[in-house]
């Protein structure tokens, strides 16, 4: 029984670890400068370096290692293994480093950058035979610029996809070993805003003086480590890097071990150098890079604001502007109404569902828009209703005969305020919401019939008695899960039939077997945003 349990746990661990590893091409198609490189990537398990090697890389990739659930802190590290530009010591200087760092909450990307061509299945033997020769110098000189370009492209890729991995765009660093240290160290020079690393890790790096650039005001902090008995004589390179940073009064830390040799990586040699990764962790912590931010890092682009109403209420809201916002242009505007579980006054919880959708680079590029997420207080609701929670699904009686609840009125007033003050196209104003917010979506269109070009209520409902022809100016797309145990799917079905009777434009999507979280399915619809942003008044 114990053996079976141990086997099950071991298999579960392996499956979980495997699920965390995803290999992503760094470029679409052939890497620039390697269009004619058509040899196949290989793996060497048995070689004189006594470690697993990857060789003949012509199409660079990033392998993603994510921290355990709930542990991510918003920091990312791109890891560049070494191998003399002919191979990559993929475990000791790559995957094992990533595994250690993920336990600290760091999201890791192991980079397979471009290498010189190996003509056998034993790149270690080739390097040993060529090292110091003219042929070796010529071949590595050709590939080094390509490898450095891959390192910078990797930083830019991770920053571009930061929202997908819940990363802070200003906490993206790079660490490299030996030849990989050339890739990492060179990222500290001649960078752009997109590919600038926020910190550098250099482990027994090959950084000769001709590759050591000028340390300037915006040069990132440096962590360097090497061993004095490095058999390749690279210890002075780390010292030169450190001295350059210190001379420029930039943050730097150097660990120089008496013993350790070259290529120790994550190997255990029973020497003090075995603990270098602990020192790197200490340094990251001292830099504040292991601390979780007070808020979800991926949501930082949503500006925190409040809207004071004329009757003394305060409505917290978050607003996202398009990338490269240009006030001389006109943009669509979207109001997003959250569900009951996200009520409060922290001005953050309302971003739990849906906010990430608008942060995806492809969506920000294809649908530049102003997005508003107001937050309803805990003692109120968006929609005017009577609620009976003693039954399931919960019984809602929606009634529009009286005034709107103040949060809903304030949210719609806020939309009109933003329309006047910002670069908004008045013909392209939209509303969507889920659960309580879906009910608020239906009610908003009823109370403000000339405002919204399209509405997308998710698992919501409305006042069937009072809904009338005034809503015909708005196009509706309604979503609901057929197995919803909170908001009866009948509420959406009835509203859709009502809209059809009013000759309104309506499209209904129902998900068989889906419970209350039908917004996950709705957000995954390939034309969820395209349909909405395609509508005009």
């Amino acid at each position: 029984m114990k053996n079976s349990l141990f086997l099950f746990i071991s298999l579960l661990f392996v499956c979980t670890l495997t699920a965390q590893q995803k290999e992503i091409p760094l470029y679409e198609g052939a890497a620039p400068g390697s269009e004619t490189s058509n040899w196949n990537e290989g793996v060497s398990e048995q070689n004189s370096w006594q470690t697993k090697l990857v060789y003949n890389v012509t199409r660079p990739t990033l392998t993603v290692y994510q921290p355990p659930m709930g542990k991510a802190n918003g920091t990312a590290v791109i890891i560049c293994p070494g191998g003399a530009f002919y191979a990559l010591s993929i475990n000791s200087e790559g995957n094992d480093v990533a595994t250690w760092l993920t336990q600290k909450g760091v999201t890791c990307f192991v980079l397979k950058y471009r290498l010189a061509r190996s003509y056998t299945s034993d790149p270690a033997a080739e390097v040993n035979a060529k090292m110091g020769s003219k042929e070796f110098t010529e071949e590595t000189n050709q590939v080094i610029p390509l490898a450095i370009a891959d390192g910078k492209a990797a930083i830019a890729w991770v920053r571009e996809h930061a929202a997908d991995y819940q990363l802070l765009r200003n906490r993206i660093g790079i660490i490299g070993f030996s030849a990989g240290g050339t890739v990492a160290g060179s990222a500290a020079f001649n960078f752009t805003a997109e590919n600038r690393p926020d910190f550098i890790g250099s482990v027994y790096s090959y950084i000769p003086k001709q590759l050591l650039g000028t340390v300037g005001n915006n040069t990132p902090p440096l962590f360097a480590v090497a061993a004095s008995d490095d058999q390749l004589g690279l210890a002075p390179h780390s010292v030169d890097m450190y001295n350059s940073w210190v001379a420029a009064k930039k943050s730097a830390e150097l660990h120089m071990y008496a013993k350790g040799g070259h290529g120790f990586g994550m190997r255990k040699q029973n020497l003090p150098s075995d603990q270098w990764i602990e020192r790197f962790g200490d340094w990251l912590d001292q830099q504040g890079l292991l601390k979780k931010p007070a808020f979800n890092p991926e949501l930082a682009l949503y500006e925190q604001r409040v809207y004071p109403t004329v009757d003394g209420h305060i409505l917290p809201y978050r607003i996202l502007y398009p990338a490269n916002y240009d006030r001389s242009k006109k943009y669509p505007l979207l109001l997003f109404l959250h569900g009951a579980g996200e009520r409060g006054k922290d001005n953050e919880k309302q971003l739990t569902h849906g906010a990430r959708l608008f942060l995806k680079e492809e969506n920000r590029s294809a649908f530049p828009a102003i997005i508003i997420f107001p937050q309803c207080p805990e003692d109120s609701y968006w929609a005017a209703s009577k609620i009976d929670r003693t039954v399931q699904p919960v019984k809602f009686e929606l009634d529009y005969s009286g005034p709107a609840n103040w949060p809903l009125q304030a949210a719609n007033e806020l939309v009109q305020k933003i329309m006047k003050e910002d670069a908004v196209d008045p013909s392209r104003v939209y509303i969507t919401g889920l659960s309580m917010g879906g009910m608020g979506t239906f009610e908003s269109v009823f109370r403000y019939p000339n405002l919204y070009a399209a509405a997308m209520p998710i698992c919501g409902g409305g006042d069937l008695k009072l809904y009338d022809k005034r809503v015909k100016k708005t196009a509706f797309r309604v979503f609901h899960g057929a197995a919803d145990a909170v908001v009866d799917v009948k509420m959406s079905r009835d509203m859709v039939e009502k809209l059809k009777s009013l000759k309104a434009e309506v499209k209904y999507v129902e998900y068989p077997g889906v419970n209350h979280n039908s917004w996950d399915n709705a957000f995954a619809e390939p034309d969820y945003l395209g349909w909405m942003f395609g509508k005009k008044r």
Side-chain angles (χ1 to χ4, degrees):
M1 179 66 182
K2 287 183 178 179
N3 289 338
S4 298
L5 181 60
F6 175 78
L7 179 60
F8 171 77
I9 293 172
S10 300
L11 288 172
L12 183 62
F13 173 78
V14 170
C15 291
T16 302
L17 188 62
T18 302
Q20 289 179 329
Q21 301 172 20
K22 177 182 178 184
E23 191 168 74
I24 300 163
L26 186 56
Y27 303 101
E28 291 185 12
S34 298
E35 291 82 0
T36 60
S37 301
N38 56 5
W39 44 90
N40 294 325
E41 183 176 305
V43 175
S44 170
E45 299 277 4
Q46 303 293 326
N47 52 72
S48 60
W49 292 356
Q50 298 180 359
T51 189
K52 181 178 179 179
L53 300 177
V54 173
Y55 60 97
N56 278 348
V57 176
T58 60
R59 293 180 177 268
T61 62
L62 290 168
T63 301
V64 186
Y65 283 76
Q66 293 182 274
M69 187 173 295
K71 208 166 185 177
N73 53 34
T75 295
V77 174
I78 295 153
I79 303 169
C80 310
F85 299 106
Y86 280 85
L88 301 174
S89 180
I90 201 68
N91 285 341
S92 177
E93 298 175 352
N95 302 333
D96 296 346
V97 180
T99 300
W100 192 94
L101 286 171
T102 56
Q103 296 304 311
K104 298 292 183 180
V106 178
T107 303
C108 294
F109 299 82
V110 177
L111 172 63
K112 291 200 290 190
Y113 53 88
R114 280 173 281 181
L115 302 170
R117 184 176 184 180
S118 292
Y119 292 88
T120 71
S121 59
D122 189 351
E126 289 189 55
V127 171
N128 294 340
K130 289 181 179 180
M131 184 75 79
S133 68
K134 181 180 178 182
E135 180 185 7
F136 178 85
T137 301
E138 290 175 349
E139 290 180 350
T140 54
N141 282 348
Q142 287 179 9
V143 79
I144 285 174
L146 303 178
I148 291 173
D150 294 342
K152 293 183 175 182
I155 297 167
W157 190 95
V158 172
R159 182 162 285 121
E160 180 183 356
H161 294 84
D164 297 338
Y165 295 95
Q166 302 184 28
L167 303 174
L168 280 170
R169 290 169 61 90
N170 63 347
R171 281 168 59 163
I172 298 170
I174 187 167
I175 187 172
F177 301 74
S178 192
T182 310
V183 177
S186 297
F189 313 110
N190 303 314
F191 46 71
T192 65
E194 290 75 23
N195 65 27
R196 176 191 180 274
D198 296 301
F199 56 94
I200 298 280
S202 171
V203 187
Y204 43 81
S205 294
Y206 171 73
I207 301 283
K209 292 189 184 298
Q210 63 267 28
L211 290 179
L212 191 58
T214 301
V215 180
N217 292 332
N218 203 26
T219 300
L222 169 72
F223 174 91
V225 59
S228 298
D229 64 346
D230 187 314
Q231 55 267 44
L232 299 184
L234 297 186
H237 291 207
S238 295
V239 175
D240 289 344
M241 288 186 74
Y242 173 77
N243 287 339
S244 296
W245 260 253
V246 171
K249 295 183 170 52
K250 301 304 295 181
S251 176
E253 181 167 316
L254 172 66
H255 294 265
M256 186 62 68
Y257 293 98
K259 292 185 177 182
H262 186 82
F264 47 81
M266 296 295 285
R267 303 176 194 231
K268 295 302 177 187
Q269 303 182 95
N270 297 318
L271 293 170
S273 57
D274 293 353
Q275 305 303 315
W276 77 267
I277 190 72
E278 300 283 351
R279 304 292 74 78
F280 182 54
D282 293 341
W283 181 80
L284 290 174
D285 192 30
Q286 189 179 54
Q287 298 287 323
L289 295 167
L290 299 185
K291 295 179 177 63
K292 280 190 177 183
F295 57 91
N296 193 326
E298 66 178 314
L299 305 177
L301 289 177
Y302 284 92
E303 297 179 21
Q304 289 194 13
R305 297 185 183 177
V306 295
Y307 173 63
T309 68
V310 294
D311 53 1
H313 292 295
I314 300 292
L315 182 74
Y317 72 98
R318 301 286 284 265
I319 185 166
L320 176 71
Y321 286 97
N324 304 312
Y325 179 52
D326 182 352
R327 295 188 66 87
S328 68
K329 299 179 180 180
K330 295 293 183 182
Y331 297 92
L333 184 148
L334 170 66
L335 175 65
F336 192 109
L337 301 178
H338 63 78
E342 292 75 60
R343 291 175 297 168
K345 58 182 180 180
D346 64 352
N347 208 0
E348 182 181 347
K349 198 158 48 173
Q350 75 266 34
L351 298 175
T352 302
H353 303 294
R356 296 173 183 82
L357 180 69
F358 304 103
L359 288 175
K360 289 181 177 293
E361 291 295 330
E362 59 268 30
N363 291 338
R364 297 200 80 194
S365 175
F367 308 108
I370 299 171
I371 315 295
I372 305 173
F373 274 78
Q375 185 175 33
C376 183
E378 290 182 0
D379 59 356
S380 189
Y381 296 89
W382 296 125
S385 61
K386 295 179 182 178
I387 304 173
D388 181 2
R389 296 187 179 276
T390 63
V391 296
Q392 281 212 340
V394 178
K395 185 177 181 181
F396 297 90
E397 293 183 15
L398 297 155
D399 184 4
Y400 301 167
S401 60
N405 288 350
W406 79 260
L408 187 76
Q409 182 177 338
N412 283 276
E413 288 175 357
L414 174 61
V415 167
Q416 295 171 87
K417 177 177 181 289
I418 298 296
M419 289 175 66
K420 292 177 182 177
E421 297 177 355
D422 282 306
V424 176
D425 180 350
S427 70
R428 300 182 68 200
V429 179
Y430 311 102
I431 184 169
T432 187
L434 54 94
S435 191
M436 176 186 82
M439 298 174 198
T441 298
F442 277 120
E443 185 170 340
S444 292
V445 177
F446 173 82
R447 295 190 185 274
Y448 302 87
N450 298 309
L451 189 55
Y452 297 105
M456 296 203 294
I458 304 171
C459 54
D463 186 338
L464 289 166
K465 301 186 298 295
L466 292 184
Y467 234 60
D468 57 24
K469 291 183 178 180
R470 77 184 78 180
V471 304
K472 284 180 61 178
K473 299 174 184 177
T474 301
F476 286 84
R477 192 176 187 190
V478 182
F479 304 86
H480 216 123
D484 197 322
V486 179
V487 178
D488 196 333
V489 65
K490 187 175 184 298
M491 295 184 69
S492 283
R493 292 172 180 170
D494 289 347
M495 286 301 293
V496 169
E497 292 305 311
K498 181 70 174 183
L499 288 166
K500 287 180 179 178
S501 72
L502 297 171
K503 309 298 183 185
E505 180 183 345
V506 58
K507 182 177 181 180
Y508 180 49
V509 183
E510 186 173 300
Y511 302 106
V514 173
N515 201 329
H516 190 49
N517 64 329
S518 54
W519 51 84
D520 290 335
N521 299 74
F523 297 155
E525 292 282 348
D527 64 339
Y528 178 81
L529 295 181
W531 179 89
M532 178 177 63
F533 286 121
K535 300 298 178 182
K536 270 190 164 187
R537 292 299 299 257

